[in-house]
Amino acid sequence: MATLLALDASTEACSVALLHNGEKTSLDELANRAHTQRILPMIDNLLSQSGLKLNQMDAIVFGQGPGSFTGVRVGAGIVQGLALGADLPVIGISNLEAMAQQAYERHNATQVMTAIDARMNEVYFSQIKHQLICLPDQLDKFSQWETLIAEEVASPKAVIKQLSENATLMQASHWQRVGTGWNVYSEFWHVGLDLNSDILLPSARFMLSLALPKFLQKQWQEATSVEPVYLRNQVTWKKLPNRD
């Protein structure tokens, strides 16, 4: 069984998690703008509690976004540094899928709409559906999310229009809604799309379930090729010096 370390700093939440011998342990905090001060001590604490060192990991998992520009950049930078130092591969996980996975593991939700407040009267939105997949030579089944509406940054009005066009809005009660965005904008409340879940922010713990099948299929990347997902076109990511 793989040993994976996961971290996320993409929102006001700051979290780290470890998968070792099939068991998960995690630490979660609300860090606001203190991610750079908190996340490395949290990693040290988690590894110390488990009696493990960074070079004993098989891969490092990180929340690749979408989320705040600063938070996503912090997470990507930290995972690059850690992975390069320990010569480990990296697995990026969508923060929206991580919240959906949390809804699946906590509440058995298989149809999820995600909306994180993106400021500027917009949300990071997706509509996805859970499925279980089998992998060669593996007895267990693994989670995967089928995309119905791809991740986007959009106004509440645009989200409602899309949901109306594919009739989802009429079946809103069948969909678990996760993320901070639903309760921030009144446009959602007026059409019955207020938050119906206790899940507001992503957590690294639930990234592990999505990262494990990727690891087993060798769907990882080198630290130097890490690509954060911002969704907004006006922001860019600078890779490490002297890298293409």
Side-chain angles (χ1 to χ4, degrees):
M1 181 64 71
T3 297
L4 304 177
L5 174 70
L7 62 93
D8 181 55
S10 63
T11 65
E12 54 266 45
C14 184
S15 59
V16 298
L18 180 68
L19 175 66
H20 180 58
N21 290 334
E23 298 293 328
K24 296 178 185 177
T25 53
S26 59
L27 296 172
D28 292 79
E29 293 184 5
L30 284 177
N32 294 319
R33 298 184 180 182
H35 296 79
T36 52
Q37 289 79 36
R38 292 300 307 137
I39 197 162
L40 289 176
M42 290 171 69
I43 291 172
D44 289 341
N45 188 6
L46 191 63
L47 291 177
S48 177
Q49 290 178 10
S50 303
L52 297 170
K53 296 182 179 180
L54 185 63
N55 60 12
Q56 293 177 273
M57 302 299 106
D58 292 308
I60 304 180
V61 181
F62 83 110
Q64 66 186 12
S68 75
F69 172 68
T70 301
V72 173
R73 183 176 60 182
V74 165
I78 289 174
V79 79
Q80 278 190 325
L82 293 175
L84 280 170
D87 192 24
L88 294 172
V90 175
I91 301 172
I93 297 295
S94 160
N95 289 87
L96 301 184
E97 288 191 5
M99 288 197 303
Q101 184 66 24
Q102 186 173 354
Y104 172 72
E105 293 186 23
R106 283 187 174 181
H107 307 303
N108 200 33
T110 58
Q111 299 182 110
V112 181
M113 294 189 289
T114 66
I116 296 177
D117 182 17
R119 314 296 182 185
M120 299 168 61
N121 197 40
E122 291 180 322
V123 293
Y124 299 118
F125 172 76
S126 72
Q127 183 183 22
I128 51 182
K129 190 173 182 179
H130 185 266
Q131 56 186 1
L132 291 172
I133 60 170
C134 297
L135 299 181
D137 303 320
Q138 298 292 323
L139 297 178
D140 296 330
K141 293 184 177 181
F142 299 91
S143 288
Q144 184 172 284
W145 289 90
E146 176 188 357
T147 298
L148 301 181
I149 297 180
E151 295 182 1
E152 63 183 4
V153 58
S155 68
K157 182 178 179 180
V159 169
I160 292 167
K161 184 174 184 292
Q162 289 180 83
L163 296 177
S164 299
E165 288 173 348
N166 69 12
T168 303
L169 191 60
M170 301 301 294
Q171 303 170 351
S173 61
H174 300 301
W175 289 84
Q176 185 90 81
R177 292 182 292 281
V178 301
T180 55
W182 302 108
N183 276 1
V184 170
Y185 298 106
S186 60
E187 292 96 327
F188 289 134
W189 317 341
H190 295 157
V191 293
L193 289 176
D194 53 321
L195 184 70
N196 64 352
S197 169
D198 58 346
I199 299 165
L200 295 176
L201 297 167
S203 169
R205 182 181 186 90
F206 301 95
M207 295 176 182
L208 293 170
S209 300
L210 300 173
L212 181 56
K214 291 179 180 292
F215 176 80
L216 294 173
Q217 297 174 92
K218 299 183 179 180
Q219 295 177 359
W220 56 63
Q221 59 191 124
E222 299 298 320
T224 52
S225 64
V226 165
E227 291 283 356
V229 174
Y230 294 119
L231 293 184
R232 282 200 171 110
N233 293 329
Q234 64 264 37
V235 294
T236 58
W237 165 252
K238 293 183 179 180
K239 293 185 180 181
L240 295 175
N242 304 317
R243 303 290 179 177
D244 294 332

